[in-house]
Amino acid sequence: MNSRVLTIVFTDIKGFTERTANSPRDFSLKIREKHDQLLKPIIKKYEGTLIKTIGDAFLLTFESPTNAVLCALMIQASLYEHNANVPKEEKIEIRIAINTGEVNIVDGDILGEPVNIASRVEGITEGGEIWFTESTYLSMNKSEVPNAFIGEFRLKGIPEVMKVYRVVMDHDSEVFKKILSTQQQLFSHTASSSKSLFFNFASAIGIVLVAIILGLGIFWGHGKWVLENFRSNAKKHLENKQYSEALMETEKILEAATIDEQVTEMLNNSIKGAVEDLLKNNETSKARDFLKQIAERHPNLFFPKLEASITIKEAYNLLEKGDSKEAIKLLDEVQKKFETDSFAMIEIWHFYNKSGIHWSKELKAVQTVALASPALLLNDPVLYKSLDYFLRKVAPWEGFEKLRTFISENLFDKYKSMLENSLKSDNSEDQTLRWNARLILTSKGYHVDDLKFYLSEFLLKRSDFDSPGFQESFEFFSRKMQEGPKPEFLKELPAQIATFPILDVELLATDSKKFILIQKLFEPSLKKFLMASLLNKEEHVRRINAYSILAQKPIPIYLETAFHLTNLTAWLENWVPNDIFPYLARSAEFFAKMSGPLSASPQAIEKDVASILGDLKNQEVLSKKITQTLNKMEIAISKLLKQLKDESETNYIRFFEKLQTTVKKAISVQKKP
């Protein structure tokens, strides 16, 4: 078995299967023929080997990592030009993934983990893009290809976290145009006649000889010492945070010698430090101009994080002026430009976290980085502030499913205790946290008691009973009601429920789903609460709903009488909403229809009813209060009618005139012996 270190390239037509599934066979062949016609000459020019085709995909190998990346760049450039001149259905968009490593060569095929890694990277590569691994990045000549770090990925079947990079292809950039022009000239040179080749070869030899002579002159003179002096000076300047001076010394090295990894690092640190110094002094315009000059001097270097930092500083300045709208607009532009650069996205995320002006955009930035480079997040202290807000404030139906998955897969142990405790909490502030806890815990195989969870949600005091959370809880109990309900389920309900917020929000029609559900499932557990609600003068809606539920069965006469008395007293003592007025009339009618004062020998009063009635359980006290209340109502209605007539409130006048008549009748009933 033969093994060699090669650079592996996978190409694949984006959406080819979907596009051709319902198309004639000749269309599919036409696309593939054009694909081969465009790609194969370029592969040959860069000394690539076509190992095999897999449907619409190519598996290639190259001896040189740089040739592999340049070949990929020229393939995408060729397709870019092709797509600009053909109808939409004939456009060809491919993704290219590259990896370098030792492979086994067996019968013309290649095997090994490097091939698997290249295949996995191809699976996450965007259409029209070239993505490559760190092994290729470290092996290639980085000065020949514009590139940027994307982030760290966990690839299926690959235990290690993989660093992934991309070729930066900005067709409007002068730098990119220059690179394309250089490569295209190489194409034309290789197509020249043998005479031209001989001439070029001879010229090249002459140039090389001159370079060698000059190089020897520098070396044998004092050149080597000078280069080391430049390098030493640059290091000292960096240690002293003298970034401009360090940059000058580093650029001197670049003018006289081949770039190496140490020089690249010094150059990057010098530029980064200089920009950060300018930003500390709020000199954003100077920082942007400086970065532009660097791009002109070093066209193959890219600093998305620094560019993002400058824009974010400008956004902070806008925010200080009160212009949050423009600040967000600036960041949207940065996010669109650098959405595949994790470091730039982290800068955006930190801005939103610190400013607090847009939680949704903050979480979108966190989610983007979490998917691309989870390892970058886990050591960032700002992460836990964002995630704490997320878990407590953003419910599952509001999106960010992938961010919950990230927490479940990477931070479950950290949040486990908080999630479990939230399920035991009846605090309304923990409502959203409970929903997130339920989702994450169940995804990890933990059992969550549905009855306790949904009952807690059902009994939560809230302003919005149309929320997806309440609706899901309502559907759960509706299913239980449709099932019977089963006795064993009813036994699991609490013996007494001390509150039921939905009864405070709206008057429930007796044929509504909510009313029927409460009456059939919860009435036994709510009985004491409902009876007490009949005498609550402040909670008008709760009082009426409680009566409607209890009235489905006979109500003890003393309790019903006390309810109607409370209804009238509430109108006299408190503001009562208009939708309660019909019930006010019914209470007056109740007293008007009585055959006389309450019997001195009333039916036996149940113990729990007696405790609720208080002194109203006494027949004399109750009768006296009824008479007093009706008399006060007659006086109050007379005054109100005069006011309403002065204000020409016709609708109300009719209602209260009728109510006045009913009250007078009730007074006469109470006067009977």
Side-chain angles (χ1 to χ4, degrees), residues 392 421-422 425-435:
R392 293 181 181 279
N421 289 335
S422 72
S425 169
D426 57 2
N427 190 329
S428 60
E429 293 182 359
D430 292 332
Q431 178 195 8
T432 300
L433 179 58
R434 281 197 296 272
W435 280 99

Side-chain angles (χ1 to χ4, degrees), residues 630-640 660 663 667:
L630 290 170
N631 288 329
K632 287 180 181 178
M633 281 198 72
E634 185 184 13
I635 296 169
I637 292 171
S638 297
K639 290 181 179 178
L640 180 60
Q660 186 181 45
V663 169
I667 291 172

Side-chain angles (χ1 to χ4, degrees), residues 454-474:
Y454 287 122
L455 184 60
S456 175
E457 182 71 16
F458 216 57
L459 300 180
L460 189 69
K461 191 171 183 179
R462 64 175 75 235
S463 58
D464 180 15
F465 282 89
D466 293 322
S467 71
F470 180 81
Q471 292 304 317
E472 186 176 325
S473 303
F474 181 78

Side-chain angles (χ1 to χ4, degrees), residues 527-561:
K527 187 175 180 181
K528 193 169 183 179
F529 168 73
L530 294 173
M531 289 193 299
S533 298
L534 295 181
L535 276 64
N536 189 319
K537 290 187 289 186
E538 285 75 32
E539 296 293 342
H540 309 299
V541 174
R542 182 196 300 175
R543 185 174 65 250
I544 302 302
N545 280 328
Y547 178 75
S548 298
I549 294 169
L550 289 172
Q552 300 305 304
K553 299 175 184 178
I555 302 177
I557 186 62
Y558 265 57
L559 186 59
E560 185 170 16
T561 304

Side-chain angles (χ1 to χ4, degrees), residues 173-190:
S173 163
E174 293 301 321
V175 174
F176 189 73
K177 289 177 182 177
K178 185 176 179 181
I179 291 169
L180 286 183
S181 175
T182 302
Q183 294 303 313
Q184 286 162 353
Q185 287 174 21
L186 291 175
F187 272 18
S188 62
H189 287 171
T190 56

